Amino acid sequence: PSQILYHHLRFARQSGAELYNRLCQGYPELMDLTGDWLFSHALFEQKPDNAAAYITQILRRPRPEPNLTWPHLEAFIAELLMLPMSASAFVDECVESILRTGASVVGFSSVYQQNVAALAVAQRLKRRRPELVTIFGGANLEGPMGGEMFQRFPFIDVVFSGESEQRFPPVVQRLLRGERLGPLPNVLARAHLSGGSPFPDLGGAMLRDLDRLPVPDYSDYFTQWEAARLDTPARELLQFASAIGP
């Protein structure tokens, strides 16, 4: 059996739903990458404290946006400065919750500003259980980004780049059986997991017949949404995106 852990709901509870929503929406600007900066010290643990430089050079830089008022920005900065220590503790909580599941294979789906937080969790997870297999996929691993992540972060065992609905299940099945992986397009694996027999033909990289996919099970999400008890009037929503970009 598999289990999906929606740790972002717990973080929204700890940081406050309003501040969390601002981080998700890319306030003040998406390219400020505030969500990634927030977890950067949890990933790069020897990194000097650069909060003052980040706030001065990035958050307080002159901006052309007429809707961005200085008092709102300063209030956001004041709240933000209270989070870095709790962000590191939150990473430890994520690690503990994953270890409690007893999983031997753990997958991370990384999109937008989830990258640094996911990497921080994976790094500490492998430190606690080196034999555990970590898999990364999602938009942040698309194309050359996947190869670069695989090269720079040795605690990532397997990377899926691009659509992987048809490739992911057989890879996980082999890993759970303790078997080595054969070559697959756009899948990178560490040497100790590679060298296995070729996989059967899994079809093209892009799945065109969506009826071949199982019906998604969102029960883990709704259970964890109820447990989070967020102080927000927002209802639980399931978002569906059929396409993105021009």
Side-chain angles (χ1 to χ4, degrees):
S2 62
Q3 182 179 1
I4 302 176
L5 300 178
Y6 296 90
H7 286 126
H8 71 287
L9 294 173
R10 184 182 302 176
F11 187 68
R13 173 70 176 178
Q14 293 181 6
S15 60
E18 183 176 350
L19 177 59
Y20 175 79
N21 284 333
R22 286 193 172 192
L23 289 170
C24 291
Q25 293 162 7
Y27 181 88
E29 284 186 55
L30 184 62
M31 295 308 295
D32 292 342
L33 297 177
T34 307
D36 276 327
W37 171 81
L38 183 60
F39 285 91
S40 60
H41 291 85
L43 174 60
F44 305 104
E45 296 165 322
Q46 306 304 317
K47 172 185 173 184
D49 182 7
N50 68 341
Y54 175 78
I55 290 170
T56 301
Q57 299 172 20
I58 304 298
L59 295 184
R60 286 183 177 144
R61 73 182 188 277
R63 301 172 186 269
E65 298 87 347
N67 296 327
L68 183 62
T69 64
W70 191 262
H72 287 166
L73 177 61
E74 289 302 311
F76 172 75
I77 290 173
E79 289 186 275
L80 188 67
L81 287 174
M82 300 173 63
L83 289 181
M85 289 300 294
S86 61
S88 182
F90 171 74
V91 168
D92 287 332
E93 290 180 20
C94 292
V95 170
E96 293 298 332
S97 69
I98 294 171
L99 291 176
R100 284 195 294 270
T101 67
S104 58
V105 178
V106 178
F108 296 83
S109 182
S110 179
V111 298
Y112 301 111
Q113 295 187 60
Q114 298 171 342
N115 229 19
V116 176
L119 288 167
V121 173
Q123 177 175 250
R124 296 187 186 183
L125 193 60
K126 289 288 283 188
R127 191 179 295 159
R128 292 282 301 277
R129 277 193 59 194
E131 74 281 6
L132 186 147
V133 177
T134 55
I135 301 177
F136 269 68
N140 287 338
L141 285 296
E142 182 78 24
M145 295 184 292
E148 191 68 16
M149 293 263 286
F150 187 75
Q151 178 180 346
R152 292 187 175 272
F153 300 105
F155 49 83
I156 300 177
D157 292 314
V158 181
V159 161
F160 284 83
S161 182
E163 293 193 25
S164 302
E165 285 86 352
Q166 299 180 93
R167 293 172 290 164
F168 184 73
V171 166
V172 173
Q173 288 165 4
R174 282 203 184 183
L175 292 172
L176 291 175
R177 293 194 299 264
E179 300 175 3
R180 289 177 175 264
L181 304 178
L184 273 177
N186 300 321
V187 176
L188 300 172
R190 298 294 171 194
H192 69 282
L193 299 174
S194 304
S197 60
F199 284 92
D201 183 13
L202 300 176
M206 181 177 293
L207 180 65
R208 299 187 181 279
D209 181 8
L210 297 183
D211 288 336
R212 292 176 56 190
L213 294 176
V215 177
D217 180 359
Y218 293 105
S219 56
D220 285 335
Y221 174 78
F222 289 115
T223 299
Q224 292 168 54
W225 169 274
E226 292 294 331
R229 299 185 179 276
L230 302 179
D231 63 349
T232 172
R235 298 180 296 110
E236 64 271 25
L237 298 174
L238 292 177
Q239 298 183 355
F240 174 80
S242 62
I244 189 169

